[in-house]
Amino acid sequence: MSLLDRRVRGFRLVDLIAAGLLVVLILGVYLAKTMAGRERSEIARAERGIAEEKARIRLLQAEVAHLEEPARLERLSQAYLGLASLPIKHDVTPEALYDAARASQAATPPSAPAPAQPQAPVPATKPQ
Amino acid sequence: MSLGLQGLGADALSRWLGRAMWRLEHAFERARASDKPEDDTRLRIFFVAALFAAGFLALAIGATHAALFSDVGREDAALVGAEAARADLVDRNGELLAADLLHYGLYVDPREIWDEGETRRALLAALPELTPERLSRALRAGRRSFLMGGLTPEVRARIFDLGLPGVTFEPEARRVYPLGSTAAHLIGFVDGGGQGLAGAEAAFNDGIHDASRDNHPVPLSIDLRIQAAAEAELAKQVAKFQPRGAVALVVDVHSGEILALANWPTFNPNNPGGASDDARLNRAAASIYEMGSTFKGFTVAAGLDSGVATPSTTFDARQPFQLGYRTIHDYHATHKVLTLVEVFQHSSNIGTAKLAQAMGPQRLERYFKAFGLTQPAKVELLESARPLSPRVWDDDAMASTSFGHGMNVSPLAVARAYVGLTNGGKLIPLTIRRLPPGTKADGPQIVSPRTSETLLQIMRANVTGGSGKSANVSGLNVGGKTGTGDKYDPVARAYSHTKQVSSFAAVFPTDGPLEAKRYFVMVLMDEPHPDETGADPTGGIAAAPAVGRIVERIAPFLGVRRRMDTAPFTEVAPSPQDSGEEH
């Protein structure tokens, strides 16, 4: 008796196997859909969280930009720290430091002997 | 009987199903008995079952794909869309200038409200800017209606926590300018629908929408540090001279990038409707002025380039000069014969008009056209104004335009012409878009490189020994030209002696080869008033000092190092009046 002709409780075995496979297939699709739906909602929740975080980050970036507005920083640094823009004459490269030092030295008056005491004023006299 | 009907139950349906299956089973035997394999029902059933299996398999694959990979119904789609309507605007260093931020619109549906009084009280308390009249209108609407937009997430959460029925929210993108009024005229603003109306927002409207899809910011040419320095120094000058309006510009002469564009008065682009038209006016691009003596740079450049004059060519400025219908005087008459350099340094109207006469009106017109002074400044800004230029270039027109009268141009047009004259002679477009570092824009050759070099030195001579002394910064070799143009009074139908436009157009550093880094800086004051000294607020007094301070502040940002001061041409002995120039 071939496998195709075997019967179980009057039903052919092959029919029962096919019916079983069909049930498994339906269950499989159902389970896959259910599990995927759950995963999907998890992913959506995570993505929503990411989007909200991104929105918060952008909000914070905008707030940082607002707080770092140059005019505001200048006002605050002047009011509380007494800072001011650096004059260009204070700008020097490391390579030019030596020249700047020499120039500064040259600009300083050399240590000279103590100035002579002014002599007693000579009373103006009319020419003789 | 092997079917076992007892197991199927006793009801009629079960019995019918059992009999049907029994008949089906015996169909195989009947087919075999009749010896007709083609009628074998098993074969048919096999095909039908195979078709069903294939159908289910296809459905399974489709369902799995739809479940795992489809975008339909994603809950955050609206959120992302709302946020990405317009791309961010950033400065050339990536500092944020404008951004779409997620806000919420508040909607009210009176049909779902249980206690109108409570809803009214709660909303008015939570939203101080909401007027009772507006709320009443929404509550009487009889349907869901928009109540208020622009709620921040914090405000939305606060109202949401009140748990008011019938009160709902919808996400919306809102354009925010975190720097307030900083660079407001250059950045511009948008309407409620997210379409650019002014500045870069309007100029790059489509590009900003496109960039938002790629989630890329749109970089502008300005440098926030330079912009801040220009605005700060302009504000100081405005406080001192109380003008009607003021402009400051910084432009890279090789790329044409506008590094700073400041206007006064200014406005907050977060609330453009709250500002006056005057405050929203971008004077740098949309206003045109008779510039006065800053035009002498153009006349001198034309004279040099055409070969009509050299720096040492002399002009007799001892007597007023009659040209066309005009008698031309010098503001601070020298009563001397002046070289071309001295004409520039003393800003001699007589000398400049004589130079123009030597060129002839047609040649002057050709040069002014080549310098771009008869067309709107070429820049992306839609506000760029069309100039007013003489219809007929005769002696009268030539006399006036040679020293900046009879032609109204925008500060950007002046900037573009000077950029062309100081970058080696190429008229390049100005741009508010960031270009790759080291870009050298190309354009038509308007003067020779030699003319460009000579003009740089003459401009420098004007700062070392002419009307632009107050713009000098030791070590940065600033060159420039002052300008003071009397304004035309339409009531008096004559030029006013009290209303003027004072400006200083500068370039730095003027030394080094033509390809070296070089920047154009301009400050313009519209109708400045005398300061506490009572001095006439000419370009040399009201604008040049601000240019000097701007140059000193921005040089480190631009990588311009200190160098040996140059003093080209023979320095003339400055006279006490040389702090200004003629009208």
Side-chain angles (χ1 to χ4, degrees), chain B residues 47-65:
Chain B
F47 276 119
V48 171
L51 283 174
F52 267 100
F56 268 103
L57 200 63
L59 283 175
I61 292 169
T64 308
H65 182 266

mmCIF file with all atom_site columns, all heavy atoms in Angstrom, chain B residues 47-65:
data_model
loop_
_atom_site.group_PDB
_atom_site.id
_atom_site.type_symbol
_atom_site.label_atom_id
_atom_site.label_alt_id
_atom_site.label_comp_id
_atom_site.label_asym_id
_atom_site.label_entity_id
_atom_site.label_seq_id
_atom_site.pdbx_PDB_ins_code
_atom_site.Cartn_x
_atom_site.Cartn_y
_atom_site.Cartn_z
_atom_site.occupancy
_atom_site.B_iso_or_equiv
_atom_site.pdbx_formal_charge
_atom_site.auth_seq_id
_atom_site.auth_comp_id
_atom_site.auth_asym_id
_atom_site.auth_atom_id
_atom_site.pdbx_PDB_model_num
ATOM 1   N N   . PHE B 1 47 ? -4.717 19.739 -8.008  1.00 0.00 ? 47 PHE B N   1
ATOM 2   C CA  . PHE B 1 47 ? -4.482 21.049 -8.650  1.00 0.00 ? 47 PHE B CA  1
ATOM 3   C C   . PHE B 1 47 ? -5.127 22.186 -7.861  1.00 0.00 ? 47 PHE B C   1
ATOM 4   O O   . PHE B 1 47 ? -4.525 23.241 -7.655  1.00 0.00 ? 47 PHE B O   1
ATOM 5   C CB  . PHE B 1 47 ? -5.036 21.026 -10.088 1.00 0.00 ? 47 PHE B CB  1
ATOM 6   C CG  . PHE B 1 47 ? -4.075 20.432 -11.065 1.00 0.00 ? 47 PHE B CG  1
ATOM 7   C CD1 . PHE B 1 47 ? -4.411 19.284 -11.781 1.00 0.00 ? 47 PHE B CD1 1
ATOM 8   C CD2 . PHE B 1 47 ? -2.825 21.009 -11.266 1.00 0.00 ? 47 PHE B CD2 1
ATOM 9   C CE1 . PHE B 1 47 ? -3.512 18.728 -12.665 1.00 0.00 ? 47 PHE B CE1 1
ATOM 10  C CE2 . PHE B 1 47 ? -1.940 20.450 -12.159 1.00 0.00 ? 47 PHE B CE2 1
ATOM 11  C CZ  . PHE B 1 47 ? -2.275 19.294 -12.867 1.00 0.00 ? 47 PHE B CZ  1
ATOM 12  N N   . VAL B 1 48 ? -6.346 21.942 -7.424  1.00 0.00 ? 48 VAL B N   1
ATOM 13  C CA  . VAL B 1 48 ? -7.039 22.988 -6.667  1.00 0.00 ? 48 VAL B CA  1
ATOM 14  C C   . VAL B 1 48 ? -6.284 23.295 -5.372  1.00 0.00 ? 48 VAL B C   1
ATOM 15  O O   . VAL B 1 48 ? -6.066 24.456 -5.012  1.00 0.00 ? 48 VAL B O   1
ATOM 16  C CB  . VAL B 1 48 ? -8.498 22.552 -6.358  1.00 0.00 ? 48 VAL B CB  1
ATOM 17  C CG1 . VAL B 1 48 ? -9.146 23.526 -5.389  1.00 0.00 ? 48 VAL B CG1 1
ATOM 18  C CG2 . VAL B 1 48 ? -9.293 22.460 -7.639  1.00 0.00 ? 48 VAL B CG2 1
ATOM 19  N N   . ALA B 1 49 ? -5.831 22.209 -4.725  1.00 0.00 ? 49 ALA B N   1
ATOM 20  C CA  . ALA B 1 49 ? -5.090 22.408 -3.471  1.00 0.00 ? 49 ALA B CA  1
ATOM 21  C C   . ALA B 1 49 ? -3.789 23.171 -3.733  1.00 0.00 ? 49 ALA B C   1
ATOM 22  O O   . ALA B 1 49 ? -3.398 24.057 -2.956  1.00 0.00 ? 49 ALA B O   1
ATOM 23  C CB  . ALA B 1 49 ? -4.795 21.060 -2.827  1.00 0.00 ? 49 ALA B CB  1
ATOM 24  N N   . ALA B 1 50 ? -3.156 22.813 -4.850  1.00 0.00 ? 50 ALA B N   1
ATOM 25  C CA  . ALA B 1 50 ? -1.899 23.501 -5.188  1.00 0.00 ? 50 ALA B CA  1
ATOM 26  C C   . ALA B 1 50 ? -2.154 24.991 -5.438  1.00 0.00 ? 50 ALA B C   1
ATOM 27  O O   . ALA B 1 50 ? -1.378 25.859 -5.000  1.00 0.00 ? 50 ALA B O   1
ATOM 28  C CB  . ALA B 1 50 ? -1.274 22.860 -6.420  1.00 0.00 ? 50 ALA B CB  1
ATOM 29  N N   . LEU B 1 51 ? -3.254 25.265 -6.110  1.00 0.00 ? 51 LEU B N   1
ATOM 30  C CA  . LEU B 1 51 ? -3.581 26.675 -6.358  1.00 0.00 ? 51 LEU B CA  1
ATOM 31  C C   . LEU B 1 51 ? -3.842 27.412 -5.053  1.00 0.00 ? 51 LEU B C   1
ATOM 32  O O   . LEU B 1 51 ? -3.379 28.534 -4.842  1.00 0.00 ? 51 LEU B O   1
ATOM 33  C CB  . LEU B 1 51 ? -4.812 26.783 -7.276  1.00 0.00 ? 51 LEU B CB  1
ATOM 34  C CG  . LEU B 1 51 ? -4.543 26.520 -8.753  1.00 0.00 ? 51 LEU B CG  1
ATOM 35  C CD1 . LEU B 1 51 ? -5.862 26.515 -9.532  1.00 0.00 ? 51 LEU B CD1 1
ATOM 36  C CD2 . LEU B 1 51 ? -3.626 27.593 -9.326  1.00 0.00 ? 51 LEU B CD2 1
ATOM 37  N N   . PHE B 1 52 ? -4.577 26.766 -4.170  1.00 0.00 ? 52 PHE B N   1
ATOM 38  C CA  . PHE B 1 52 ? -4.836 27.394 -2.864  1.00 0.00 ? 52 PHE B CA  1
ATOM 39  C C   . PHE B 1 52 ? -3.538 27.647 -2.101  1.00 0.00 ? 52 PHE B C   1
ATOM 40  O O   . PHE B 1 52 ? -3.324 28.706 -1.509  1.00 0.00 ? 52 PHE B O   1
ATOM 41  C CB  . PHE B 1 52 ? -5.759 26.488 -2.032  1.00 0.00 ? 52 PHE B CB  1
ATOM 42  C CG  . PHE B 1 52 ? -7.214 26.836 -2.194  1.00 0.00 ? 52 PHE B CG  1
ATOM 43  C CD1 . PHE B 1 52 ? -8.033 26.099 -3.045  1.00 0.00 ? 52 PHE B CD1 1
ATOM 44  C CD2 . PHE B 1 52 ? -7.760 27.912 -1.498  1.00 0.00 ? 52 PHE B CD2 1
ATOM 45  C CE1 . PHE B 1 52 ? -9.370 26.420 -3.215  1.00 0.00 ? 52 PHE B CE1 1
ATOM 46  C CE2 . PHE B 1 52 ? -9.099 28.231 -1.664  1.00 0.00 ? 52 PHE B CE2 1
ATOM 47  C CZ  . PHE B 1 52 ? -9.906 27.493 -2.527  1.00 0.00 ? 52 PHE B CZ  1
ATOM 48  N N   . ALA B 1 53 ? -2.682 26.643 -2.136  1.00 0.00 ? 53 ALA B N   1
ATOM 49  C CA  . ALA B 1 53 ? -1.406 26.778 -1.413  1.00 0.00 ? 53 ALA B CA  1
ATOM 50  C C   . ALA B 1 53 ? -0.601 27.945 -1.975  1.00 0.00 ? 53 ALA B C   1
ATOM 51  O O   . ALA B 1 53 ? -0.044 28.757 -1.229  1.00 0.00 ? 53 ALA B O   1
ATOM 52  C CB  . ALA B 1 53 ? -0.617 25.485 -1.520  1.00 0.00 ? 53 ALA B CB  1
ATOM 53  N N   . ALA B 1 54 ? -0.578 28.031 -3.302  1.00 0.00 ? 54 ALA B N   1
ATOM 54  C CA  . ALA B 1 54 ? 0.172  29.129 -3.930  1.00 0.00 ? 54 ALA B CA  1
ATOM 55  C C   . ALA B 1 54 ? -0.437 30.472 -3.546  1.00 0.00 ? 54 ALA B C   1
ATOM 56  O O   . ALA B 1 54 ? 0.281  31.439 -3.239  1.00 0.00 ? 54 ALA B O   1
ATOM 57  C CB  . ALA B 1 54 ? 0.163  28.960 -5.446  1.00 0.00 ? 54 ALA B CB  1
ATOM 58  N N   . GLY B 1 55 ? -1.779 30.509 -3.540  1.00 0.00 ? 55 GLY B N   1
ATOM 59  C CA  . GLY B 1 55 ? -2.463 31.758 -3.153  1.00 0.00 ? 55 GLY B CA  1
ATOM 60  C C   . GLY B 1 55 ? -2.129 32.163 -1.740  1.00 0.00 ? 55 GLY B C   1
ATOM 61  O O   . GLY B 1 55 ? -1.786 33.317 -1.461  1.00 0.00 ? 55 GLY B O   1
ATOM 62  N N   . PHE B 1 56 ? -2.173 31.155 -0.839  1.00 0.00 ? 56 PHE B N   1
ATOM 63  C CA  . PHE B 1 56 ? -1.858 31.474 0.563   1.00 0.00 ? 56 PHE B CA  1
ATOM 64  C C   . PHE B 1 56 ? -0.408 31.902 0.735   1.00 0.00 ? 56 PHE B C   1
ATOM 65  O O   . PHE B 1 56 ? -0.098 32.796 1.520   1.00 0.00 ? 56 PHE B O   1
ATOM 66  C CB  . PHE B 1 56 ? -2.169 30.270 1.448   1.00 0.00 ? 56 PHE B CB  1
ATOM 67  C CG  . PHE B 1 56 ? -3.559 30.308 1.999   1.00 0.00 ? 56 PHE B CG  1
ATOM 68  C CD1 . PHE B 1 56 ? -4.566 29.521 1.460   1.00 0.00 ? 56 PHE B CD1 1
ATOM 69  C CD2 . PHE B 1 56 ? -3.878 31.156 3.050   1.00 0.00 ? 56 PHE B CD2 1
ATOM 70  C CE1 . PHE B 1 56 ? -5.852 29.580 1.951   1.00 0.00 ? 56 PHE B CE1 1
ATOM 71  C CE2 . PHE B 1 56 ? -5.161 31.207 3.545   1.00 0.00 ? 56 PHE B CE2 1
ATOM 72  C CZ  . PHE B 1 56 ? -6.162 30.420 3.003   1.00 0.00 ? 56 PHE B CZ  1
ATOM 73  N N   . LEU B 1 57 ? 0.448  31.256 -0.018  1.00 0.00 ? 57 LEU B N   1
ATOM 74  C CA  . LEU B 1 57 ? 1.872  31.615 0.072   1.00 0.00 ? 57 LEU B CA  1
ATOM 75  C C   . LEU B 1 57 ? 2.079  33.066 -0.362  1.00 0.00 ? 57 LEU B C   1
ATOM 76  O O   . LEU B 1 57 ? 2.798  33.838 0.292   1.00 0.00 ? 57 LEU B O   1
ATOM 77  C CB  . LEU B 1 57 ? 2.688  30.671 -0.821  1.00 0.00 ? 57 LEU B CB  1
ATOM 78  C CG  . LEU B 1 57 ? 4.175  30.590 -0.499  1.00 0.00 ? 57 LEU B CG  1
ATOM 79  C CD1 . LEU B 1 57 ? 4.382  30.038 0.901   1.00 0.00 ? 57 LEU B CD1 1
ATOM 80  C CD2 . LEU B 1 57 ? 4.895  29.741 -1.531  1.00 0.00 ? 57 LEU B CD2 1
ATOM 81  N N   . ALA B 1 58 ? 1.425  33.422 -1.467  1.00 0.00 ? 58 ALA B N   1
ATOM 82  C CA  . ALA B 1 58 ? 1.543  34.798 -1.960  1.00 0.00 ? 58 ALA B CA  1
ATOM 83  C C   . ALA B 1 58 ? 0.992  35.784 -0.933  1.00 0.00 ? 58 ALA B C   1
ATOM 84  O O   . ALA B 1 58 ? 1.601  36.831 -0.656  1.00 0.00 ? 58 ALA B O   1
ATOM 85  C CB  . ALA B 1 58 ? 0.799  34.945 -3.285  1.00 0.00 ? 58 ALA B CB  1
ATOM 86  N N   . LEU B 1 59 ? -0.149 35.404 -0.346  1.00 0.00 ? 59 LEU B N   1
ATOM 87  C CA  . LEU B 1 59 ? -0.736 36.282 0.675   1.00 0.00 ? 59 LEU B CA  1
ATOM 88  C C   . LEU B 1 59 ? 0.193  36.419 1.880   1.00 0.00 ? 59 LEU B C   1
ATOM 89  O O   . LEU B 1 59 ? 0.352  37.504 2.444   1.00 0.00 ? 59 LEU B O   1
ATOM 90  C CB  . LEU B 1 59 ? -2.089 35.733 1.128   1.00 0.00 ? 59 LEU B CB  1
ATOM 91  C CG  . LEU B 1 59 ? -3.259 35.953 0.167   1.00 0.00 ? 59 LEU B CG  1
ATOM 92  C CD1 . LEU B 1 59 ? -4.500 35.247 0.684   1.00 0.00 ? 59 LEU B CD1 1
ATOM 93  C CD2 . LEU B 1 59 ? -3.549 37.448 0.020   1.00 0.00 ? 59 LEU B CD2 1
ATOM 94  N N   . ALA B 1 60 ? 0.805  35.300 2.260   1.00 0.00 ? 60 ALA B N   1
ATOM 95  C CA  . ALA B 1 60 ? 1.701  35.325 3.418   1.00 0.00 ? 60 ALA B CA  1
ATOM 96  C C   . ALA B 1 60 ? 2.889  36.246 3.161   1.00 0.00 ? 60 ALA B C   1
ATOM 97  O O   . ALA B 1 60 ? 3.261  37.069 4.004   1.00 0.00 ? 60 ALA B O   1
ATOM 98  C CB  . ALA B 1 60 ? 2.189  33.915 3.721   1.00 0.00 ? 60 ALA B CB  1
ATOM 99  N N   . ILE B 1 61 ? 3.462  36.106 1.974   1.00 0.00 ? 61 ILE B N   1
ATOM 100 C CA  . ILE B 1 61 ? 4.614  36.957 1.639   1.00 0.00 ? 61 ILE B CA  1
ATOM 101 C C   . ILE B 1 61 ? 4.185  38.422 1.605   1.00 0.00 ? 61 ILE B C   1
ATOM 102 O O   . ILE B 1 61 ? 4.855  39.296 2.170   1.00 0.00 ? 61 ILE B O   1
ATOM 103 C CB  . ILE B 1 61 ? 5.217  36.528 0.280   1.00 0.00 ? 61 ILE B CB  1
ATOM 104 C CG1 . ILE B 1 61 ? 5.857  35.142 0.428   1.00 0.00 ? 61 ILE B CG1 1
ATOM 105 C CG2 . ILE B 1 61 ? 6.239  37.536 -0.202  1.00 0.00 ? 61 ILE B CG2 1
ATOM 106 C CD1 . ILE B 1 61 ? 6.255  34.499 -0.885  1.00 0.00 ? 61 ILE B CD1 1
ATOM 107 N N   . GLY B 1 62 ? 3.040  38.673 0.953   1.00 0.00 ? 62 GLY B N   1
ATOM 108 C CA  . GLY B 1 62 ? 2.543  40.059 0.869   1.00 0.00 ? 62 GLY B CA  1
ATOM 109 C C   . GLY B 1 62 ? 2.268  40.637 2.240   1.00 0.00 ? 62 GLY B C   1
ATOM 110 O O   . GLY B 1 62 ? 2.627  41.785 2.532   1.00 0.00 ? 62 GLY B O   1
ATOM 111 N N   . ALA B 1 63 ? 1.641  39.843 3.110   1.00 0.00 ? 63 ALA B N   1
ATOM 112 C CA  . ALA B 1 63 ? 1.302  40.334 4.445   1.00 0.00 ? 63 ALA B CA  1
ATOM 113 C C   . ALA B 1 63 ? 2.561  40.631 5.250   1.00 0.00 ? 63 ALA B C   1
ATOM 114 O O   . ALA B 1 63 ? 2.662  41.647 5.945   1.00 0.00 ? 63 ALA B O   1
ATOM 115 C CB  . ALA B 1 63 ? 0.444  39.306 5.169   1.00 0.00 ? 63 ALA B CB  1
ATOM 116 N N   . THR B 1 64 ? 3.537  39.725 5.128   1.00 0.00 ? 64 THR B N   1
ATOM 117 C CA  . THR B 1 64 ? 4.793  39.935 5.866   1.00 0.00 ? 64 THR B CA  1
ATOM 118 C C   . THR B 1 64 ? 5.492  41.201 5.372   1.00 0.00 ? 64 THR B C   1
ATOM 119 O O   . THR B 1 64 ? 5.961  42.019 6.166   1.00 0.00 ? 64 THR B O   1
ATOM 120 C CB  . THR B 1 64 ? 5.725  38.723 5.660   1.00 0.00 ? 64 THR B CB  1
ATOM 121 O OG1 . THR B 1 64 ? 4.998  37.539 5.973   1.00 0.00 ? 64 THR B OG1 1
ATOM 122 C CG2 . THR B 1 64 ? 6.952  38.827 6.537   1.00 0.00 ? 64 THR B CG2 1
ATOM 123 N N   . HIS B 1 65 ? 5.522  41.351 4.064   1.00 0.00 ? 65 HIS B N   1
ATOM 124 C CA  . HIS B 1 65 ? 6.168  42.546 3.506   1.00 0.00 ? 65 HIS B CA  1
ATOM 125 C C   . HIS B 1 65 ? 5.445  43.814 3.953   1.00 0.00 ? 65 HIS B C   1
ATOM 126 O O   . HIS B 1 65 ? 6.070  44.798 4.372   1.00 0.00 ? 65 HIS B O   1
ATOM 127 C CB  . HIS B 1 65 ? 6.181  42.451 1.969   1.00 0.00 ? 65 HIS B CB  1
ATOM 128 C CG  . HIS B 1 65 ? 6.863  43.613 1.321   1.00 0.00 ? 65 HIS B CG  1
ATOM 129 N ND1 . HIS B 1 65 ? 6.178  44.711 0.885   1.00 0.00 ? 65 HIS B ND1 1
ATOM 130 C CD2 . HIS B 1 65 ? 8.175  43.853 1.067   1.00 0.00 ? 65 HIS B CD2 1
ATOM 131 C CE1 . HIS B 1 65 ? 7.034  45.586 0.379   1.00 0.00 ? 65 HIS B CE1 1
ATOM 132 N NE2 . HIS B 1 65 ? 8.265  45.075 0.478   1.00 0.00 ? 65 HIS B NE2 1
#
